[in-house]
Amino acid sequence: MYGQGQVPVIILKEGTERTKGRDAQKNNIMAASIVADTIKSTLGPRGMDKMMVDSLGDILISNDGATLLDEIDVQHPAAKMIVQVAKAQDDETGDGTTSSVVLAGELLKRGGELIDKKIHASLIVEGYKKAASKAHEIINELAKKLEPFQEDDKLLHQIAETSLHSKAVHGAKEKVAKIAVDSVKRVADEENGDYTVDLDNIKILQKIGKNLSESELIEGVIVDKEVVHPGMPKSAKNAKIMLLNYNIEVQKGEWDREIRINDPLEMKSFLDNEEQILKDMVDQIVALGVNVLVCQKGIDDMAQYFMAKENVMAIRRVKKSDMEKLSRATGAKIVTNLKDAKDDDLGDAGLVEEVKLGDDEHVFIKECKNPKAVSIILYGATKYVTDEAERALHDALCVVRNVVEDKTYLAGGGAIYTELSYRIDEFADEFKDKRQLAVKAFSEALLTIPITLAENAGIDPLDVINELRAAHAEGKVHTGLNLFKEGAIVDMLEAGIIEPLRVVSQAIKSASEVAIMILRIDDVIIAKSERGMPGGMPGGMPGGMPGGMPGGMPPGMM
């Protein structure tokens, strides 16, 4: 900048780049839209997969929006905001990540078109806010209620299967859906008729070598440890289990000490005393009727020998998280001082056994009476299969949890987005100024979900959308796309294609909020990078760095 007399006034550091006004808005919208378009083809049951290769050559194959965007090395600040949409969606609901990003990208495109028509961004933002608020009202109005565990599990299975339709595990979706529903039912806590589900109480273990359909639910906990002594039993029925967070070793002092022994008999007496201390500890455990000991800390070799003589099965160095799961599964309390242990602190399990899975030994604590923590073994032919299966199972667990906690669900297959588009288009007529155009743009953006579903299935989206809009105009609010019947326009509730209210609500909320945030930006200032290069080229992406692509990222990265 120049002051009076054309004297330069330094405001920003040398090398800083600044983009203002319409250029800044265009660049931000373009960057965010590119991210959305990148994963658009993964949406729906007929969506495609993406292969990501990192700089070390590790391969990721997935169609999960949050996973893909987490792997992409995005540099543009507006694009990073879109990535955060997927992360927020994944954290809150566990599913619908691709939908939220695609919707955010479409809202920005529509907003950009309005800005090109000389409509001020503030009016667009206000219209979007009104439309989003109306959308949430309509969603709550259309939501169906259910009472989990008081009705049959059919709806929960349908919700889990709907989530799995778009995943690589769709061939075994019935099996995976059943595991997801049964797991959530086991770990759900009830209070005054309301349920809470902590998915941390479900442990997932991947094993290579069998078919995915052979995956199983263990009503208990699998600990990736082995029995500490070869002389101990490898299995125990009707187990009495102690969970101990205490060293079964002779306690060492906190300071260095010196013991002077003048007689060999004194040495023997000293060693015998240590041995007696360990034996007394083991006797205390045995006296309580314990036949399975799970220790978070160490177990001395001599103590192991004494336990083996008493037929006590023991494992040590167990992770804190596994100890907490075992407590919920068996009903045992974690004992921190052996002297204070009581009968009430012990837990029960029908069977505890050491099992070899692949090349590793594991201890199964199963057949628990009322386990509030469970384990799932996922089998697959390769690591890529089991990784994708775990991501799919996580999504299924999340959607079942959402419905169990909220007791609400909606029609899937693009039905809810089509109905929202139809209603919000009518709502736009209530505005008599330019905000009406913004509300209509929001309405049109919602149709990108059914349009994308149709495109990814190889169906002409124009024909489909016309049929869908006609059906919703006749009051058929649950009509959507059943892509397994060649794009048949059917009632989604009757077809069993349903999704949680929380997923749709959060997708619209996060997509509209990030679109509003980006549309309000009219000035981008990018500081000089540490390496002495400008922080951005036109569009805000870093200049060419090693890797051979504009944007300075390795090939295949964004």
Side-chain angles (χ1 to χ4, degrees):
M1 294 182 64
Y2 291 88
Q4 291 181 350
Q6 298 298 305
V7 178
V9 180
I10 305 300
I11 302 296
L12 300 173
K13 186 186 292 187
E14 183 182 355
T16 300
E17 291 202 358
R18 183 179 184 185
T19 314
K20 295 191 296 182
R22 182 69 188 110
D23 286 341
Q25 290 170 326
K26 271 186 177 180
N27 289 341
N28 288 337
I29 291 170
M30 179 184 69
S33 299
I34 288 171
V35 173
D37 289 342
T38 301
I39 64 168
K40 197 172 185 179
S41 63
T42 67
L43 183 67
R46 298 295 175 89
M48 305 297 285
D49 290 348
K50 304 284 183 188
M51 177 185 286
M52 311 294 294
V53 184
D54 65 16
S55 57
L56 299 176
D58 291 334
I59 298 171
L60 169 71
I61 300 172
S62 179
N63 67 356
D64 182 75
T67 302
L68 293 171
L69 291 176
D70 192 46
E71 289 294 320
I72 296 175
D73 187 14
V74 174
Q75 295 295 319
H76 194 285
K80 285 183 178 180
M81 293 167 71
I82 293 292
V83 174
Q84 288 300 319
V85 170
K87 289 183 178 178
Q89 181 77 16
D90 196 43
D91 291 342
E92 290 295 320
T93 68
D95 196 20
T97 51
T98 305
S99 298
S100 61
V101 170
V102 169
L103 183 56
E106 191 66 20
L107 286 171
L108 285 167
K109 282 182 185 176
R110 301 281 178 177
E113 291 169 3
L114 292 178
I115 290 173
D116 288 338
K117 294 176 181 177
K118 309 299 183 186
I119 298 174
H120 197 276
S122 295
L123 292 173
I124 300 170
V125 165
E126 192 175 344
Y128 275 12
K129 285 181 179 178
K130 296 286 186 184
S133 176
K134 184 65 176 178
H136 289 295
E137 286 180 27
I138 297 167
I139 288 170
N140 290 320
E141 177 192 329
L142 294 174
K144 296 287 184 180
K145 300 285 185 182
L146 86 160
E147 282 298 327
F149 315 142
Q150 295 181 14
E151 305 169 13
D152 63 33
D153 295 337
K154 183 180 178 182
L155 280 173
L156 294 179
H157 281 276
Q158 288 176 341
I159 288 163
E161 286 186 22
T162 300
S163 171
L164 295 169
H165 279 154
S166 61
K167 310 298 181 186
V169 302
H170 58 83
K173 65 178 182 292
E174 293 86 359
K175 177 76 173 184
V176 178
K178 186 178 189 309
I179 288 175
V181 172
D182 291 346
S183 301
V184 171
K185 285 175 64 178
R186 286 296 187 192
V187 303
D189 292 316
E190 182 186 4
E191 185 175 350
N192 300 324
D194 293 324
Y195 295 91
T196 56
V197 179
D198 185 356
L199 296 183
D200 287 339
N201 293 317
I202 301 173
K203 183 174 182 176
I204 302 174
L205 197 66
Q206 296 183 23
K207 284 296 166 186
I208 297 169
K210 294 185 181 180
N211 193 282
L212 183 61
S213 60
E214 297 179 76
S215 301
E216 57 184 316
L217 170 65
I218 305 297
E219 295 192 356
V221 179
I222 301 171
V223 182
D224 52 350
K225 298 287 181 181
E226 58 184 342
V227 176
V228 294
H229 193 280
M232 289 179 177
K234 299 298 183 183
S235 67
K237 293 185 177 180
N238 301 318
K240 284 287 183 184
I241 301 171
M242 174 182 280
L243 304 180
L244 187 63
N245 183 12
Y246 187 81
N247 279 310
I248 306 182
E249 298 171 342
V250 176
Q251 299 298 316
K252 309 296 181 185
E254 294 183 11
W255 301 276
D256 291 336
R257 302 178 183 187
E258 185 178 285
I259 299 174
R260 295 182 183 275
I261 296 175
N262 299 316
D263 189 331
L265 293 175
E266 290 180 3
M267 183 64 183
K268 185 177 186 308
S269 174
F270 176 77
L271 294 174
D272 289 345
N273 189 41
E274 279 198 349
E275 186 177 308
Q276 189 59 46
I277 291 171
L278 293 169
K279 191 172 189 314
D280 289 345
M281 287 184 180
V282 173
D283 288 344
Q284 281 181 276
I285 293 168
V286 173
L288 291 169
V290 175
N291 59 355
V292 175
L293 175 71
V294 181
C295 187
Q296 190 173 335
K297 296 184 178 178
I299 302 176
D300 189 274
D301 290 349
M302 186 57 69
Q304 294 175 25
Y305 166 73
F306 289 134
M307 288 182 195
K309 285 182 66 177
E310 298 291 345
N311 285 325
V312 174
M313 182 180 178
I315 53 178
R316 63 178 173 179
R317 309 288 183 198
V318 177
K319 292 185 292 188
K320 182 182 178 183
S321 58
D322 284 344
M323 294 289 284
E324 291 168 352
K325 289 184 181 71
L326 282 166
S327 178
R328 285 180 59 86
T330 65
K333 297 174 185 174
I334 299 175
V335 177
T336 54
N337 191 333
L338 192 56
K339 294 177 183 177
D340 298 332
K342 307 184 295 293
D343 288 341
D344 293 345
D345 297 330
L346 304 184
D348 301 289
L351 179 64
V352 178
E353 61 179 343
E354 185 182 85
V355 177
K356 190 165 187 175
L357 289 176
D359 296 329
D360 304 315
E361 304 287 350
H362 295 73
V363 174
F364 284 50
I365 295 96
K366 57 186 181 180
E367 297 180 15
C368 303
K369 292 177 183 175
N370 184 27
K372 288 298 179 182
V374 296
S375 300
I376 299 168
I377 306 175
L378 280 179
Y379 292 108
T382 67
K383 187 71 167 63
Y384 303 127
V385 173
T386 55
D387 282 345
E388 185 65 0
E390 182 170 347
R391 286 188 285 268
L393 176 61
H394 176 263
D395 286 2
L397 290 169
C398 286
V399 295
V400 175
R401 174 204 62 190
N402 296 342
V403 174
V404 166
E405 290 184 345
D406 300 342
K407 302 180 181 179
T408 50
Y409 64 93
L410 295 162
I416 184 64
Y417 293 100
T418 309
E419 181 65 17
L420 286 172
S421 176
Y422 177 74
R423 297 264 198 106
I424 291 173
D425 191 51
E426 291 182 334
F427 172 65
D429 294 334
E430 296 181 13
F431 298 90
K432 304 303 179 186
D433 55 12
K434 291 179 179 178
R435 290 178 301 170
Q436 182 186 85
L437 297 175
V439 176
K440 284 188 176 291
F442 193 100
S443 161
E444 292 166 3
L446 289 166
L447 286 177
T448 192
I449 301 298
I451 287 172
T452 305
L453 288 173
E455 286 176 343
N456 291 346
I459 300 168
D460 186 347
L462 290 176
D463 293 343
V464 165
I465 291 304
N466 287 336
E467 284 187 60
L468 275 177
R469 288 179 69 87
H472 283 263
E474 294 171 5
K476 299 175 181 177
V477 298
H478 303 306
T479 304
L481 287 169
N482 187 345
L483 299 175
F484 295 100
K485 293 187 176 180
E486 298 183 0
I489 307 298
V490 297
D491 188 301
M492 293 288 99
L493 298 183
E494 292 179 4
I497 300 174
I498 50 183
E499 55 188 334
L501 178 144
R502 190 188 297 187
V503 170
V504 178
S505 178
Q506 179 64 30
I508 292 172
K509 179 182 177 183
S510 53
S512 58
E513 284 181 357
V514 77
I516 286 168
M517 191 180 298
I518 291 174
L519 287 171
R520 287 175 60 88
I521 297 169
D522 73 340
D523 202 345
V524 178
I525 300 170
I526 301 177
K528 182 179 179 181
S529 71
E530 292 295 326
R531 288 168 289 187
M533 291 185 296
M537 63 179 197
M541 302 292 283
M545 290 181 277
M549 289 187 65
M553 291 156 288
M557 305 301 279
M558 187 174 188

